[in-house]
Amino acid sequence: KADAAQARGEACGPLHGVPLAHKDMYYRAGKISTCGSKIRKDFVAETTSTALQKLEAAGAIYLGGLNMAEFATGPTGHNEHWGRCCNPWNPDYVTGGSSSGSGAATAARAVFGALGSDTGGSIRLPAIMNGLVGLKTTAGLVSRHGLMPLSYTMDTCGPLTRTVRDAARLTGVIAGHDPLDPTTSRRPVPDYEAALDKGIGGVRIGVPRNYYYDIASDEIRTLMTASLEVLSGLGAEIVELEVPDMHEPTHMSNIVFVVEAAAIHEAWMRERPEDYQAQVRARYEPGLYLPAKAYLQALDLRATMLREFAAAVFTKCDLLHTPGMPFAVPRGDESDVGAGKAMPELIANISWCTRAANYLGLPALCVPCGFTANGLPSDFQLMGRPFSESLLFRAGHAYQGATDWHTRTPATPSD
């Protein structure tokens, strides 16, 4: 039908005929949306999410829902109800989560791109582990209407794609104010694609001396240094700096997440606790017992911490460059820890570089920058001021114009 419409000379949108599939928490009226859970295995949505409506209005073809971590909770992508997604580069390794199917399907070239959600790294981690571009959008840039919520104040919507240009196009389509989501911004949406080729001459890129490299492996440090050399060669100014103690916003994000998740899931946890994976239930339950004071303080500190971060970082640079993940992609068997003693440390370490951006509401873009010794890909992360997606895209696109990591596929050698 798309071909016939094009042949007739009909007006075609920016995604005309492009096949996409999305994380199975984006509601589509009349279709089942499992949210990766047993509890919602038969849930039929009555509405279609605003993001899906915008994609279809732009001409995209919807292929279906993609597997995900249960209720968008889990940085590895393990799912006891529907099975673990396998990494296309090597099925023994995880895809990252919680947008695991979005990462696997796009990396395997089954679709050109996919929407995910990001509450603590759930778009960026699958992008990193599958060699993709992943964007965590500024809070309020994209409507969350028609999505199963996880955290009312930290959930964001965004794309996983093969290239930065594709991410810019998808973001431009889905961004903008939505009356059905009062948290969306009324700012005009820039033409992200039009700005891609402006280059990054004179753009200041910050490199943190503290926190982000505290647990980074030597091979990740090497990949980060190489990516910075490329960006410097493109005209960017590399600036070393100190960031605030990022343990604090990360700790605050954990308080906000568990309380809001518990509020959403309280009835099901009381009535159907056995239908949750042990790890997911163990992560939500503390939210039932945290005092309101702790939650309200965490919300109240958000603006202060954002101001402190902006003063320390964005007065010295335009973008902050960090590892996307501090070590190589883990194997499926070694990261299948359930709710055991290893769970807190595993989750904290995988999301070491991603979680604070959700609490602060900042945009962050992950871009492929090479491979680790196990043959799996890795990304660097760029963080910017709120609503600086256009600059993030410019920097990522410039990097991809000078490198070919994004052109590698699981069917081609990684070295």
Side-chain angles (χ1 to χ4, degrees):
K1 289 181 179 179
D3 287 342
Q6 190 173 42
R8 290 192 298 269
E10 296 180 7
C12 296
L15 297 173
H16 185 79
V18 177
L20 304 173
H22 309 292
K23 191 174 186 176
D24 200 21
M25 59 186 286
Y26 282 80
Y27 297 162
R28 186 175 174 85
K31 301 292 183 180
I32 290 176
S33 182
T34 70
C35 303
S37 69
K38 180 178 181 180
I39 289 172
R40 283 209 149 180
K41 68 183 181 66
D42 298 315
F43 168 72
V44 177
E46 297 181 355
T47 186
T48 299
S49 77
T50 297
L52 292 193
Q53 291 182 52
K54 288 186 172 184
L55 291 176
E56 291 173 24
I61 296 173
Y62 174 79
L63 295 189
L66 297 169
N67 198 4
M68 56 184 284
E70 181 182 7
F71 288 124
T73 304
T76 61
H78 284 89
N79 188 312
E80 296 173 8
H81 307 303
W82 299 96
R84 174 178 69 82
C85 283
C86 296
N87 195 305
W89 295 91
N90 186 329
D92 291 336
Y93 290 78
V94 298
T95 56
S98 62
S99 308
S100 49
S102 298
T106 305
R109 273 45 184 182
V111 291
F112 282 92
L115 295 186
S117 68
D118 196 310
T119 307
S122 288
I123 287 172
R124 288 164 288 164
L125 293 171
I128 295 159
M129 297 191 206
N130 290 278
L132 300 171
V133 173
L135 175 69
K136 183 259 170 216
T137 53
T138 302
L141 180 69
V142 179
S143 172
R144 298 176 296 176
H145 170 70
L147 272 75
M148 172 72 196
L150 174 60
S151 171
Y152 298 118
T153 62
M154 295 197 302
D155 290 346
T156 57
C157 309
L160 293 94
T161 60
R162 305 175 192 176
T163 69
V164 172
R165 182 175 292 278
D166 288 352
R169 180 168 297 194
L170 286 178
T171 304
V173 169
I174 63 176
H177 179 68
D178 177 15
L180 298 175
D181 179 356
T183 69
T184 49
S185 169
R186 293 182 179 272
R187 288 170 174 252
V189 178
D191 187 339
Y192 297 124
E193 280 192 89
L196 285 179
D197 296 317
K198 291 183 177 180
I200 55 171
V203 173
R204 299 170 303 164
I205 295 181
V207 180
R209 298 189 191 99
N210 57 315
Y211 181 78
Y212 283 98
Y213 285 91
D214 286 357
I215 63 170
S217 68
D218 289 341
E219 61 182 349
I220 292 298
R221 291 173 180 268
T222 298
L223 290 177
M224 295 304 108
T225 298
S227 68
L228 286 165
E229 289 173 352
V230 172
L231 292 166
S232 176
L234 293 168
E237 178 186 353
I238 308 302
V239 180
E240 289 194 4
L241 51 81
E242 296 282 330
V243 298
D245 183 2
M246 302 310 291
H247 290 94
E248 294 183 3
T250 298
H251 176 60
M252 293 297 106
S253 78
N254 289 333
I255 293 174
V256 173
F257 161 74
V258 299
V259 172
E260 294 181 348
I264 292 164
H265 288 269
E266 179 179 10
W268 285 335
M269 284 197 292
R270 295 188 188 282
E271 297 166 6
R272 306 178 61 175
E274 72 285 351
D275 288 337
Y276 285 89
Q277 292 177 179
Q279 182 179 115
V280 174
R281 188 172 67 249
R283 293 185 68 187
Y284 293 170
E285 283 180 341
L288 297 173
Y289 309 108
L290 275 171
K293 176 183 175 182
Y295 173 66
L296 293 174
Q297 286 178 332
L299 290 182
D300 188 54
L301 284 170
R302 176 178 282 170
T304 299
M305 288 189 178
L306 176 57
R307 282 194 298 269
E308 291 175 350
F309 185 87
V313 175
F314 295 127
T315 57
K316 299 178 177 68
C317 68
D318 304 303
L319 299 173
L320 184 69
H321 179 289
T322 76
M325 190 170 68
F327 41 78
V329 180
R331 292 177 57 90
D333 51 6
E334 68 186 15
S335 59
D336 190 9
V337 297
K341 292 181 179 180
M343 179 192 75
E345 183 178 7
L346 176 74
I347 292 173
N349 289 347
I350 288 178
S351 59
W352 184 271
C353 300
T354 59
R355 186 167 293 278
N358 295 84
Y359 177 73
L360 298 174
L362 298 172
L365 180 74
C366 285
V367 180
C369 64
F371 293 80
T372 50
N374 61 7
L376 275 291
S378 191
D379 285 17
F380 62 78
Q381 176 180 240
L382 293 173
M383 296 169 60
R385 298 177 180 87
F387 300 101
S388 65
E389 279 83 358
S390 187
L391 181 57
L392 290 169
F393 288 142
R394 275 174 54 196
H397 179 68
Y399 178 83
Q400 290 196 323
T403 60
D404 69 349
W405 301 117
H406 61 289
T407 68
R408 310 290 180 91
T409 74
T412 60
S414 61
D415 55 7

